[in-house]
Amino acid sequence: FGVWGFFAVWILKGLQFFYTWFPNYGVSILLLTFVIRMITFPLQYKSFKSMKKMQGIQPELAKIKEKYKDEPQKMQKETMDLFKKAGANPLSGCLPLLLQMPFFFAIYKVLYSSVELVGAPFYGWIHDLSIHDPFYILPVLMAVAMFAQQKMTPTTTMDPTQAKIMLFMPVIFAFIMKSLPAGLVLYILVSTVVG
């Protein structure tokens, strides 16, 4: 499993554990996704609250930037004071993503390297979780779920250009995911829906 071996071994053991109760690796992926999301929920909740606070102070940040555009040190001090007063942390939105990255890479390695998943069917059209979705239904569902999640998540910026670019991110992710294993896309889809 390479660099992510520590996480990958535990993820594989988790998949095997759930497989003993529900003999379908697709169901095992679903259950493991719920477990991972529940473990990371406190950080995600904190991140969501911080993003909501950042959204609320955007007008004040814009005023500070306009008022002190020629005084960068004063602007930085006023910005930091505003963050402290509002209880917002601009970096806390990255923490849940960083925490989930090892799980994502480990699941990716498990789905590519585990003999157990080769030829393991899910339901319907998914006959092998270790290869891509033959009809690209999971990547499309994942893009729809990501788009819905974007609409529900507070934004920390009001830049219209950046907002338009973010609207295309689900499409880009769906395009990337179309050739990845169906089990990995299933994990991302369920993780997005649960999120």
Side-chain angles (χ1 to χ4, degrees):
F1 292 127
V3 172
W4 305 104
F6 175 78
F7 292 106
V9 167
W10 285 104
I11 286 173
L12 182 58
K13 286 181 181 184
L15 285 174
Q16 291 168 339
F17 170 77
F18 288 126
Y19 186 80
T20 60
W21 292 95
F22 304 96
N24 183 311
Y25 276 109
V27 173
S28 297
I29 290 170
L30 293 174
L31 294 172
L32 189 66
T33 304
F34 282 115
V35 169
I36 290 171
R37 290 299 276 192
M38 291 305 111
I39 290 170
T40 59
F41 176 76
L43 289 171
Q44 292 166 349
Y45 181 72
K46 187 176 179 181
S47 170
F48 184 81
K49 282 178 63 174
S50 180
M51 287 171 59
K52 198 72 174 158
K53 288 177 184 176
M54 288 293 292
Q55 185 181 33
I57 64 171
Q58 283 303 313
E60 293 176 57
L61 275 175
K63 287 177 187 175
I64 290 172
K65 286 180 181 177
E66 183 62 32
K67 185 176 180 180
Y68 299 109
K69 62 183 174 189
D70 297 329
E71 302 175 64
Q73 289 180 341
K74 182 75 172 164
M75 182 192 321
Q76 185 178 8
K77 183 189 179 311
E78 291 294 321
T79 302
M80 295 311 274
D81 289 344
L82 179 61
F83 287 154
K84 283 181 187 174
K85 186 176 105 180
N89 183 351
L91 298 178
S92 67
C94 301
L95 192 57
L97 178 65
L98 292 176
L99 184 66
Q100 288 182 21
M101 290 306 275
F103 292 110
F104 176 79
F105 287 121
I107 284 179
Y108 180 83
K109 291 301 272 179
V110 166
L111 292 173
Y112 261 90
S113 305
S114 297
V115 174
E116 293 90 344
L117 296 175
V118 174
F122 182 42
Y123 292 111
W125 70 98
I126 305 293
H127 302 292
D128 188 344
L129 288 166
S130 67
I131 63 170
H132 68 87
D133 179 346
F135 300 113
Y136 307 113
I137 294 171
L138 287 177
V140 169
L141 290 175
M142 184 200 68
V144 169
M146 289 177 104
F147 181 76
Q149 185 183 46
Q150 266 185 359
K151 288 296 181 186
M152 293 180 354
T153 304
T155 58
T156 58
T157 181
M158 292 186 199
D159 181 23
T161 306
Q162 190 175 9
K164 287 177 185 174
I165 291 171
M166 290 306 288
L167 284 176
F168 287 106
M169 289 306 289
V171 175
I172 293 167
F173 265 94
F175 183 76
I176 292 168
M177 294 293 161
K178 74 178 180 52
S179 60
L180 293 178
L184 181 62
V185 180
L186 179 66
Y187 165 75
I188 296 170
L189 169 62
V190 174
S191 183
T192 302
V193 169
V194 171

